[in-house]
């Protein structure tokens, strides 16, 4: 075979035990998830602003940026709710180059997926605990989200993944909003079909199990352009920097 096993990764529950959420972080996420749900359902008339760099690959820089966002969030919280983008996977169109913190927690060392999983989990937890902001990440690899599914308040399916069946099916079983980006071709119908697919229940294979989902009531669509929302223009803004 051309696939060579380096080593087996731990079950997500074991990694969560090794790097647990504090009671403080759990309370922050629970409150923010409720507020986000109220915004998406129209009970709260604020906008959601999801903002940050495409690749979060330096923990100190990410924390510095998120602290600044937390200060801004205090100023605008009556009209906006800020969710920092902490995207720890870096999609590559040709497959070449740096693939993000998940793959290479030390960009000067060889790839190490286990240490990468630990590093990104710790970083997301630091953001919540130090800034009071729960985070968004990109679901580049559907199976990997199980290592972060207790932390995130928003997930994004990127331009290269939005047509992928597995991403759509997994999105249908996620309990938080999932954003579907327009594909690299720019075809909006692909994006909207992905939203529709995620809204429906599905049965499929996931992490070695035959699973059934209930359908996600809050998938959204967004474009690559800054400050754009197509699914809920009165509720959500996606800002890319």
């Amino acid at each position: 075979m051309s696939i060579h096993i380096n080593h087996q990764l731990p079950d997500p529950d074991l990694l969560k035990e090794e790097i647990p959420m504090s009671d403080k972080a759990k309370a922050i996420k629970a409150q923010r998830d409720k507020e986000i749900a109220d915004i998406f359902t129209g009970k709260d008339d604020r906008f959601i602003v999801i903002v940050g760099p495409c690749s979060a690959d330096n923990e100190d820089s990410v924390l510095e940026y998120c602290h600044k966002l937390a200060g801004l969030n205090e100023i605008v919280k009556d009209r906006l709710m800020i969710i920092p983008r902490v995207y720890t996977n870096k999609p590559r169109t040709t497959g070449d180059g740096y693939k993000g913190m998940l793959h290479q927690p030390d960009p000067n060392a060889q790839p190490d997926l286990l240490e990468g999983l630990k590093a990104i989990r710790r970083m997301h937890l630091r953001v919540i605990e130090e800034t009071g902001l729960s985070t968004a990440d990109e679901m580049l690899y559907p199976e990997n989200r199980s290592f972060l599914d207790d932390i995130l308040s928003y997930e994004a399916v990127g331009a290269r993944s939005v047509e992928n069946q597995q991403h759509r099916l997994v999105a249908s079983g996620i309990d938080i909003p999932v954003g579907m980006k327009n594909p690299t071709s720019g075809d909006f119908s692909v994006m909207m079909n992905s939203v529709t697919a995620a809204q429906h229940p599905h049965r499929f294979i996931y992490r070695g199990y035959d699973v059934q989902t209930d359908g996600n009531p809050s998938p959204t669509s967004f474009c690559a352009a800054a400050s754009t929302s197509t699914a809920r223009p009165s509720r959500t803004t996606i800002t890319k920097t």
Side-chain angles (χ1 to χ4, degrees):
M1 289 182 64
S2 296
I3 297 177
H4 310 285
I5 296 175
N6 295 315
H7 51 78
Q8 186 174 3
L9 295 173
D11 185 87
D13 288 339
L14 294 178
L15 192 66
K16 292 171 184 175
E17 290 178 8
E18 181 179 344
I19 309 172
M21 287 186 77
S22 66
D23 290 340
K24 174 184 175 182
K26 290 177 182 178
I28 290 170
K29 176 173 157 49
Q31 178 59 36
R32 280 178 57 87
D33 283 357
K34 180 182 183 304
E35 293 179 30
I36 291 168
D38 286 345
I39 293 171
F40 270 86
T41 57
K43 296 177 182 177
D44 186 324
D45 66 358
R46 288 180 293 170
F47 281 84
I48 290 174
V49 180
I50 303 170
V51 58
C54 286
S55 181
D57 55 11
N58 181 291
E59 185 171 323
D60 290 338
S61 296
V62 168
L63 266 293
E64 178 184 1
Y65 184 80
C66 288
H67 275 288
K68 292 179 179 179
L69 285 180
L72 177 61
N73 190 66
E74 281 299 306
I75 297 171
V76 301
K77 64 182 180 181
D78 60 327
R79 297 303 302 156
L80 305 175
M81 183 177 190
I82 293 176
I83 303 175
R85 284 169 37 129
V86 182
Y87 285 13
T88 53
N89 305 280
K90 185 63 180 170
R92 313 304 306 190
T93 299
T94 65
D96 292 333
Y98 177 66
K99 293 183 174 66
M101 192 174 184
L102 170 67
H103 284 259
Q104 257 177 294
D106 180 349
N108 296 313
Q110 291 297 310
D112 188 328
L113 275 293
L114 176 57
E115 290 306 312
L117 286 168
K118 293 179 180 179
I120 65 175
R121 184 170 173 83
R122 290 191 184 102
M123 182 168 64
H124 277 286
L125 286 174
R126 276 194 66 191
V127 173
I128 296 176
E129 291 173 353
E130 294 185 21
T131 72
L133 301 178
S134 53
T135 54
D137 204 340
E138 180 174 355
M139 186 174 64
L140 185 59
Y141 310 106
E143 288 201 357
N144 292 354
R145 70 168 304 275
S146 299
F147 294 94
L148 295 173
D149 59 7
D150 57 332
I151 298 175
L152 303 177
S153 283
Y154 187 95
E155 294 189 56
V157 175
R160 298 162 191 81
S161 304
V162 71
E163 295 185 76
N164 182 270
Q165 181 76 344
Q166 187 76 355
H167 285 78
R168 294 178 174 191
L169 298 181
V170 171
S172 74
I174 294 176
D175 295 328
I176 57 175
V178 177
M180 304 292 190
K181 192 174 182 181
N182 58 307
T184 54
S185 67
D187 185 348
F188 277 23
S189 66
V190 171
M191 176 176 64
M192 300 310 295
N193 287 337
S194 188
V195 171
T196 300
Q199 290 174 331
H200 290 89
H202 298 281
R203 184 172 176 174
F204 58 100
I205 297 172
Y206 184 66
R207 297 190 66 88
Y209 293 93
D210 176 339
V211 301
Q212 175 77 44
T213 64
D214 296 327
N216 188 333
S218 301
T220 65
S221 58
F222 64 94
C223 306
S227 300
T228 302
S229 171
T230 56
R232 289 185 176 272
S234 63
R235 294 285 176 261
T236 311
T237 298
I238 307 296
T239 301
K240 179 177 179 180
T241 60

